[in-house]
Amino acid sequence: MTRKERTLNAIEILKKEYPEAICSLNASNPFELLVATRLSAQCTDARVNLVTPALFEKYKTLDDYASADLKDVEEIIKSCGFYKNKAESIIGMAQKIRDDFDGKVPDNIEDLTTLPGVGRKTANLIVGDVYGKESIVVDTHMIRISNRIGLVDVKEPVKIEMALKKVVPKDEGSAFCHRIVLFGRDTCSARNPKCDGCPMYDNCKRNGVR
């Protein structure tokens, strides 16, 4: 089986397991999703979703964030970890979007990655979920699972992103990445994967597949 065939097979398996491929982060507009994704760095989505309601209630517009008091934002997001850096980058993102992008969250990876605290993982999420463009979000789940099931043989996020873009249909990337996250949480965990009954086991290196 070629890598492309294996990838397409994985896509179909996960579609059956997770018909609704949606982002785990709660947000009502592109900037809120950008903020939530920034907060999710080294923090669970569940924790982020507990924190963001108060943040989104207090700061409703881009200008609100751009002129926000740093200490106040830090206090609200404190339980997400690394809150000082995250608060600073949230305010910085708002200021840069206001000043350099006419108040609109950019729709491409190149511009998004000029924003404070935004790397390719976050940029791909925004490009895919908000703008419906080709995207591959490479998080810890994708790194682990794409290697386990033989879609890639590299661990570097950018190399994984580029490799998967060659075999994942452009209109499937965003949903595939969300399904990988759900599958990683439910079944294919890092330390104790639930191999018994796993729908992907026949395609997995843990089953001797190469």
Side-chain angles (χ1 to χ4, degrees), residues 86-158:
K86 290 178 181 180
E88 186 175 348
S89 55
I90 287 169
I91 294 172
M93 288 190 302
Q95 292 171 343
K96 189 169 180 64
I97 290 171
R98 179 196 62 191
D99 297 340
D100 295 353
F101 298 105
D102 297 321
K104 183 180 180 182
V105 174
D107 64 355
N108 62 85
I109 290 173
E110 290 72 23
D111 286 342
L112 282 163
T113 51
T114 67
L115 302 176
V118 176
R120 293 190 68 87
K121 182 179 80 169
T122 297
N124 269 286
L125 179 69
I126 298 299
V127 165
D129 274 36
V130 174
Y131 296 108
K133 296 184 177 183
E134 180 184 18
S135 68
I136 296 290
V137 178
V138 181
D139 62 359
T140 56
H141 295 291
M142 181 63 80
I143 294 170
R144 178 178 71 256
I145 295 169
S146 63
N147 275 276
R148 273 185 183 169
I149 63 176
L151 307 188
V152 299
D153 285 313
V154 294
K155 297 295 179 67
E156 297 90 336
V158 175

Coordinates of all heavy atoms in Angstrom, one line a residue, residues 86-158:
K86 N 1.4 34.5 27.0 CA 0.2 34.4 26.3 C -0.6 35.7 26.3 O -1.1 36.2 25.3 CB -0.7 33.3 26.8 CG -0.1 31.9 26.5 CD -0.9 30.8 27.1 CE -0.3 29.4 26.8 NZ -1.1 28.3 27.3
A87 N -0.7 36.4 27.4 CA -1.4 37.7 27.5 C -0.7 38.7 26.7 O -1.4 39.5 25.9 CB -1.4 38.1 29.0
E88 N 0.6 38.7 26.7 CA 1.3 39.7 25.9 C 1.1 39.5 24.4 O 0.9 40.4 23.6 CB 2.8 39.6 26.2 CG 3.7 40.7 25.5 CD 5.1 40.6 26.0 OE1 5.5 39.9 26.9 OE2 5.9 41.3 25.3
S89 N 1.1 38.2 24.0 CA 0.9 38.0 22.6 C -0.5 38.2 22.1 O -0.8 38.6 21.0 CB 1.4 36.6 22.2 OG 0.8 35.6 23.0
I90 N -1.5 38.0 23.0 CA -2.9 38.2 22.6 C -3.1 39.7 22.4 O -3.7 40.1 21.4 CB -3.8 37.7 23.8 CG1 -3.9 36.2 23.8 CG2 -5.2 38.3 23.6 CD1 -4.6 35.6 25.0
I91 N -2.6 40.5 23.2 CA -2.7 42.0 23.0 C -1.9 42.4 21.8 O -2.4 43.2 21.0 CB -2.2 42.8 24.3 CG1 -3.1 42.5 25.4 CG2 -2.1 44.2 24.0 CD1 -2.7 43.0 26.8
G92 N -0.7 41.8 21.6 CA 0.1 42.1 20.4 C -0.5 41.7 19.1 O -0.4 42.4 18.1
M93 N -1.2 40.5 19.1 CA -1.9 40.1 17.9 C -3.0 41.1 17.5 O -3.1 41.4 16.4 CB -2.5 38.7 18.2 CG -1.6 37.6 18.3 SD -2.4 35.9 18.3 CE -3.5 36.1 19.7
A94 N -3.8 41.5 18.5 CA -4.8 42.5 18.3 C -4.3 43.8 17.7 O -4.8 44.3 16.7 CB -5.6 42.7 19.5
Q95 N -3.2 44.3 18.3 CA -2.6 45.5 17.8 C -2.1 45.4 16.4 O -2.3 46.3 15.5 CB -1.5 45.9 18.7 CG -2.0 46.4 20.1 CD -0.9 46.6 21.1 OE1 0.2 46.1 20.9 NE2 -1.2 47.2 22.2
K96 N -1.5 44.3 16.1 CA -0.9 44.1 14.7 C -2.0 43.9 13.7 O -1.9 44.4 12.6 CB 0.1 42.9 14.7 CG 0.9 42.8 13.4 CD 2.0 41.8 13.5 CE 2.8 41.8 12.2 NZ 3.4 43.0 11.8
I97 N -3.0 43.1 14.0 CA -4.1 42.9 13.1 C -4.8 44.3 12.9 O -5.2 44.6 11.7 CB -5.1 41.9 13.7 CG1 -4.5 40.5 13.6 CG2 -6.4 41.9 12.9 CD1 -5.3 39.4 14.4
R98 N -5.0 45.1 13.9 CA -5.6 46.4 13.8 C -4.8 47.3 12.9 O -5.3 48.0 12.0 CB -5.8 47.0 15.1 CG -6.4 48.4 15.1 CD -6.2 49.1 16.5 NE -4.8 49.3 16.8 CZ -4.3 49.7 18.0 NH1 -5.2 49.9 19.0 NH2 -3.0 49.8 18.1
D99 N -3.5 47.3 13.2 CA -2.6 48.3 12.5 C -2.1 47.9 11.1 O -2.0 48.7 10.2 CB -1.4 48.6 13.4 CG -1.8 49.2 14.7 OD1 -2.9 49.7 14.8 OD2 -0.9 49.1 15.7
D100 N -1.9 46.6 10.9 CA -1.3 46.1 9.7 C -2.2 45.3 8.8 O -1.9 45.2 7.6 CB -0.1 45.2 10.0 CG 1.0 45.9 10.7 OD1 1.0 47.1 10.9 OD2 2.0 45.2 11.1
F101 N -3.4 44.9 9.3 CA -4.3 44.1 8.4 C -5.7 44.6 8.5 O -6.6 43.8 8.3 CB -4.2 42.6 8.9 CG -2.9 42.0 8.8 CD1 -2.1 41.8 9.9 CD2 -2.4 41.6 7.5 CE1 -0.8 41.2 9.8 CE2 -1.1 41.1 7.4 CZ -0.3 40.8 8.5
D102 N -5.8 45.9 8.7 CA -7.2 46.6 8.6 C -8.2 45.9 9.5 O -9.4 45.9 9.2 CB -7.7 46.6 7.1 CG -6.8 47.4 6.2 OD1 -6.3 48.4 6.7 OD2 -6.5 47.0 5.1
G103 N -7.7 45.3 10.6 CA -8.7 44.8 11.6 C -9.2 43.4 11.2 O -10.1 42.9 11.9
K104 N -8.7 42.8 10.2 CA -9.2 41.4 9.8 C -8.1 40.4 10.0 O -6.9 40.6 9.6 CB -9.6 41.5 8.3 CG -10.1 40.1 7.8 CD -10.5 40.2 6.4 CE -11.1 38.8 5.9 NZ -11.4 38.8 4.5
V105 N -8.5 39.3 10.6 CA -7.5 38.2 10.8 C -7.0 37.7 9.5 O -7.9 37.4 8.6 CB -8.2 37.0 11.6 CG1 -7.2 35.8 11.7 CG2 -8.6 37.5 13.0
P106 N -5.7 37.6 9.2 CA -5.2 37.2 7.9 C -5.7 35.9 7.5 O -6.0 35.0 8.3 CB -3.7 37.3 8.1 CG -3.5 38.2 9.2 CD -4.7 38.0 10.1
D107 N -5.8 35.6 6.2 CA -6.3 34.4 5.6 C -5.2 33.5 5.0 O -5.5 32.6 4.3 CB -7.3 34.7 4.6 CG -6.8 35.4 3.3 OD1 -5.6 35.7 3.3 OD2 -7.5 35.6 2.4
N108 N -3.9 33.8 5.4 CA -2.8 33.0 4.8 C -1.8 32.8 5.9 O -1.6 33.6 6.8 CB -2.2 33.6 3.6 CG -1.6 35.0 3.8 OD1 -0.5 35.1 4.3 ND2 -2.4 36.0 3.6
I109 N -1.0 31.7 5.8 CA -0.1 31.3 6.8 C 1.1 32.3 6.9 O 1.5 32.6 8.0 CB 0.5 29.9 6.4 CG1 -0.6 28.8 6.7 CG2 1.7 29.5 7.3 CD1 -0.3 27.4 6.2
E110 N 1.5 32.8 5.8 CA 2.6 33.8 5.8 C 2.3 35.0 6.6 O 3.1 35.4 7.5 CB 3.0 34.2 4.4 CG 3.6 33.2 3.5 CD 2.6 32.1 3.1 OE1 1.4 32.3 3.1 OE2 3.1 30.9 2.8
D111 N 1.1 35.6 6.5 CA 0.8 36.8 7.3 C 0.4 36.4 8.7 O 0.8 37.1 9.7 CB -0.4 37.5 6.7 CG -0.1 38.3 5.4 OD1 1.1 38.5 5.2 OD2 -1.0 38.6 4.6
L112 N -0.2 35.3 8.9 CA -0.6 34.9 10.3 C 0.6 34.6 11.1 O 0.6 35.0 12.3 CB -1.4 33.6 10.2 CG -2.9 33.8 9.8 CD1 -3.5 32.4 9.4 CD2 -3.7 34.4 11.0
T113 N 1.7 34.1 10.5 CA 2.9 33.8 11.3 C 3.7 35.0 11.6 O 4.7 34.9 12.3 CB 3.7 32.7 10.7 OG1 4.0 33.1 9.3 CG2 3.1 31.3 10.7
T114 N 3.3 36.2 11.1 CA 3.9 37.4 11.6 C 3.3 38.0 12.9 O 3.9 38.9 13.5 CB 3.8 38.6 10.5 OG1 2.5 39.0 10.4 CG2 4.4 38.1 9.2
L115 N 2.2 37.4 13.3 CA 1.6 37.8 14.5 C 2.3 37.3 15.7 O 2.8 36.1 15.7 CB 0.1 37.4 14.5 CG -0.8 37.8 13.4 CD1 -2.2 37.2 13.5 CD2 -0.9 39.3 13.3
P116 N 2.4 38.0 16.8 CA 3.0 37.6 18.0 C 2.5 36.2 18.5 O 1.2 36.1 18.7 CB 2.8 38.7 19.0 CG 2.5 39.9 18.2 CD 1.8 39.4 17.0
G117 N 3.3 35.3 18.8 CA 2.9 34.0 19.3 C 2.3 33.0 18.4 O 1.8 32.0 18.8
V118 N 2.2 33.4 17.1 CA 1.5 32.5 16.2 C 2.5 31.7 15.3 O 3.3 32.3 14.6 CB 0.6 33.3 15.2 CG1 0.0 32.4 14.2 CG2 -0.5 34.0 16.0
G119 N 2.5 30.4 15.4 CA 3.3 29.5 14.6 C 2.5 28.9 13.5 O 1.3 29.1 13.4
R120 N 3.1 27.9 12.8 CA 2.4 27.3 11.7 C 1.2 26.4 12.2 O 0.2 26.4 11.4 CB 3.4 26.4 10.9 CG 4.5 27.2 10.2 CD 5.3 26.3 9.3 NE 4.4 25.9 8.1 CZ 4.3 26.6 7.0 NH1 4.9 27.8 6.9 NH2 3.5 26.1 6.0
K121 N 1.3 25.8 13.3 CA 0.1 25.0 13.8 C -1.1 25.9 14.0 O -2.2 25.6 13.4 CB 0.5 24.4 15.2 CG -0.6 23.5 15.7 CD -0.3 22.9 17.0 CE -0.4 23.8 18.2 NZ -0.3 23.2 19.5
T122 N -1.0 27.0 14.7 CA -2.1 28.0 14.8 C -2.5 28.5 13.5 O -3.7 28.6 13.2 CB -1.7 29.1 15.8 OG1 -1.4 28.6 17.1 CG2 -2.8 30.1 15.9
A123 N -1.6 28.9 12.7 CA -1.9 29.5 11.4 C -2.7 28.5 10.5 O -3.7 28.9 9.9 CB -0.6 30.0 10.7
N124 N -2.3 27.3 10.5 CA -3.0 26.3 9.7 C -4.4 26.1 10.2 O -5.4 25.9 9.4 CB -2.2 25.0 9.7 CG -1.3 24.8 8.6 OD1 -1.7 24.6 7.4 ND2 0.0 24.9 8.9
L125 N -4.6 26.1 11.5 CA -5.9 26.0 12.1 C -6.9 27.1 11.6 O -8.0 26.9 11.2 CB -5.9 26.0 13.6 CG -7.2 25.8 14.3 CD1 -7.8 24.4 14.1 CD2 -7.2 26.1 15.8
I126 N -6.4 28.3 11.7 CA -7.2 29.5 11.2 C -7.4 29.4 9.7 O -8.6 29.6 9.3 CB -6.4 30.8 11.6 CG1 -6.2 30.9 13.1 CG2 -7.2 32.0 11.0 CD1 -7.5 31.0 13.9
V127 N -6.4 29.1 8.9 CA -6.6 29.0 7.5 C -7.6 28.0 7.1 O -8.5 28.2 6.2 CB -5.2 28.7 6.8 CG1 -5.4 28.3 5.4 CG2 -4.4 30.0 6.8
G128 N -7.6 26.8 7.8 CA -8.5 25.8 7.5 C -9.9 26.0 8.0 O -10.9 25.9 7.3
D129 N -10.0 26.3 9.3 CA -11.3 26.4 10.0 C -12.1 27.6 9.6 O -13.3 27.6 9.5 CB -11.1 26.3 11.5 CG -11.1 24.9 12.0 OD1 -10.5 24.0 11.3 OD2 -11.6 24.6 13.1
V130 N -11.4 28.7 9.5 CA -12.0 30.0 9.3 C -12.2 30.3 7.8 O -13.3 30.7 7.3 CB -11.2 31.2 9.9 CG1 -11.8 32.5 9.5 CG2 -11.2 31.0 11.4
Y131 N -11.2 30.0 7.0 CA -11.2 30.4 5.6 C -11.4 29.2 4.6 O -11.5 29.4 3.4 CB -10.0 31.1 5.2 CG -9.9 32.4 6.0 CD1 -9.0 32.6 7.0 CD2 -10.7 33.5 5.6 CE1 -8.9 33.8 7.7 CE2 -10.7 34.7 6.3 CZ -9.8 34.9 7.4 OH -9.8 36.1 8.1
G132 N -11.5 28.0 5.1 CA -11.7 26.8 4.3 C -10.6 26.5 3.3 O -10.9 25.9 2.3
K133 N -9.4 26.9 3.6 CA -8.3 26.7 2.6 C -7.5 25.4 3.1 O -7.7 24.9 4.1 CB -7.4 27.9 2.6 CG -8.0 29.2 2.1 CD -7.0 30.3 2.0 CE -7.6 31.5 1.4 NZ -6.6 32.6 1.3
E134 N -6.7 25.0 2.2 CA -5.8 23.8 2.5 C -5.0 24.0 3.7 O -4.4 25.1 3.9 CB -4.9 23.6 1.3 CG -4.0 22.3 1.5 CD -3.0 22.1 0.4 OE1 -2.7 23.1 -0.3 OE2 -2.4 21.0 0.3
S135 N -5.1 23.0 4.6 CA -4.3 23.2 5.9 C -4.1 21.8 6.5 O -4.9 20.9 6.3 CB -5.1 24.0 6.9 OG -6.3 23.4 7.3
I136 N -3.0 21.7 7.2 CA -2.6 20.5 8.0 C -2.1 21.0 9.3 O -1.0 21.7 9.4 CB -1.5 19.7 7.3 CG1 -2.0 19.1 6.0 CG2 -1.1 18.5 8.2 CD1 -3.1 18.0 6.1
V137 N -2.9 20.8 10.3 CA -2.5 21.2 11.7 C -1.6 20.1 12.3 O -2.1 19.0 12.5 CB -3.7 21.5 12.6 CG1 -3.3 21.9 14.0 CG2 -4.5 22.6 11.9
V138 N -0.4 20.4 12.6 CA 0.5 19.3 13.2 C 0.7 19.6 14.6 O 1.5 20.5 15.0 CB 1.8 19.3 12.4 CG1 2.7 18.2 13.0 CG2 1.6 19.1 10.9
D139 N -0.1 18.9 15.5 CA 0.1 19.0 16.9 C 0.7 17.7 17.4 O 1.1 16.8 16.6 CB -1.2 19.3 17.6 CG -2.3 18.2 17.3 OD1 -1.9 17.2 16.6 OD2 -3.4 18.3 17.9
T140 N 0.7 17.5 18.7 CA 1.4 16.3 19.3 C 0.6 15.0 18.8 O 1.2 14.0 18.6 CB 1.4 16.3 20.8 OG1 0.1 16.5 21.3 CG2 2.3 17.5 21.3
H141 N -0.7 15.1 18.7 CA -1.5 13.9 18.2 C -1.1 13.6 16.8 O -0.9 12.4 16.5 CB -3.0 14.2 18.3 CG -3.5 14.4 19.7 ND1 -3.6 13.4 20.6 CD2 -4.0 15.5 20.3 CE1 -4.1 13.9 21.7 NE2 -4.3 15.1 21.6
M142 N -1.0 14.6 15.9 CA -0.7 14.3 14.5 C 0.8 13.8 14.4 O 1.0 12.8 13.6 CB -0.8 15.6 13.7 CG -0.5 15.4 12.2 SD -1.7 14.2 11.4 CE -3.1 15.3 11.1
I143 N 1.7 14.3 15.1 CA 3.1 13.8 15.1 C 3.1 12.3 15.5 O 3.7 11.5 14.8 CB 4.0 14.6 16.0 CG1 4.1 16.1 15.5 CG2 5.4 14.0 16.1 CD1 4.8 17.0 16.5
R144 N 2.5 12.0 16.6 CA 2.5 10.6 17.1 C 1.7 9.7 16.1 O 2.3 8.6 15.7 CB 1.8 10.6 18.4 CG 1.7 9.2 19.0 CD 1.1 9.2 20.4 NE -0.3 9.5 20.5 CZ -0.9 10.7 20.8 NH1 -0.1 11.7 21.1 NH2 -2.2 10.9 20.8
I145 N 0.5 10.0 15.7 CA -0.3 9.1 15.0 C 0.1 8.9 13.6 O 0.1 7.8 13.0 CB -1.8 9.5 15.1 CG1 -2.3 9.4 16.6 CG2 -2.7 8.7 14.2 CD1 -3.6 10.0 16.9
S146 N 0.4 10.0 12.9 CA 0.9 9.9 11.5 C 2.1 9.1 11.4 O 2.2 8.4 10.3 CB 1.1 11.3 10.9 OG 2.2 12.0 11.6
N147 N 2.9 9.0 12.4 CA 4.1 8.1 12.3 C 3.7 6.7 12.7 O 4.2 5.8 12.0 CB 5.2 8.6 13.3 CG 6.1 9.7 12.7 OD1 7.1 9.3 12.0 ND2 5.8 10.9 12.9
R148 N 2.8 6.5 13.6 CA 2.4 5.2 14.0 C 1.7 4.4 12.9 O 1.9 3.2 12.7 CB 1.4 5.2 15.2 CG 2.1 5.3 16.6 CD 1.1 5.2 17.7 NE 1.8 5.3 19.0 CZ 1.1 5.5 20.1 NH1 -0.2 5.6 20.2 NH2 1.8 5.6 21.3
I149 N 0.9 5.1 12.1 CA 0.1 4.4 11.1 C 0.8 4.6 9.7 O 0.2 4.3 8.7 CB -1.3 4.9 11.0 CG1 -1.4 6.4 10.7 CG2 -2.0 4.6 12.3 CD1 -2.9 6.9 10.5
G150 N 2.1 5.0 9.7 CA 2.9 5.0 8.5 C 2.6 6.0 7.4 O 2.9 5.8 6.3
L151 N 2.0 7.1 7.8 CA 1.7 8.2 6.9 C 3.0 9.0 6.6 O 3.2 9.5 5.5 CB 0.6 9.1 7.3 CG -0.7 8.5 7.7 CD1 -1.8 9.5 8.0 CD2 -1.2 7.4 6.7
V152 N 3.8 9.1 7.6 CA 5.1 9.8 7.5 C 6.2 9.0 8.3 O 5.9 8.2 9.1 CB 5.0 11.3 8.0 CG1 4.0 12.1 7.3 CG2 4.7 11.3 9.5
D153 N 7.4 9.4 8.1 CA 8.6 8.8 8.8 C 9.4 9.9 9.4 O 10.7 9.7 9.5 CB 9.4 7.9 7.9 CG 8.7 6.6 7.7 OD1 8.2 6.0 8.7 OD2 8.6 6.1 6.5
V154 N 8.9 11.0 9.7 CA 9.6 12.2 10.3 C 8.9 12.7 11.5 O 7.7 12.5 11.7 CB 9.8 13.3 9.2 CG1 10.7 12.8 8.1 CG2 8.5 13.8 8.7
K155 N 9.6 13.4 12.4 CA 9.0 13.9 13.6 C 8.9 15.5 13.6 O 8.2 16.0 14.4 CB 9.8 13.5 14.8 CG 9.8 12.0 15.0 CD 8.5 11.5 15.4 CE 8.4 10.0 15.5 NZ 9.1 9.5 16.7
E156 N 9.6 16.1 12.6 CA 9.6 17.6 12.6 C 8.3 18.1 12.1 O 7.9 17.7 11.0 CB 10.7 18.1 11.7 CG 12.1 17.8 12.2 CD 12.7 16.5 11.7 OE1 11.8 15.6 11.3 OE2 13.9 16.3 11.6
P157 N 7.6 19.0 12.8 CA 6.2 19.4 12.4 C 6.1 19.9 11.0 O 5.2 19.6 10.3 CB 5.9 20.5 13.4 CG 6.7 20.1 14.6 CD 8.0 19.5 14.1
V158 N 7.1 20.8 10.6 CA 7.0 21.3 9.2 C 7.1 20.3 8.2 O 6.4 20.3 7.1 CB 8.0 22.4 9.0 CG1 8.0 22.9 7.6 CG2 7.8 23.6 10.0

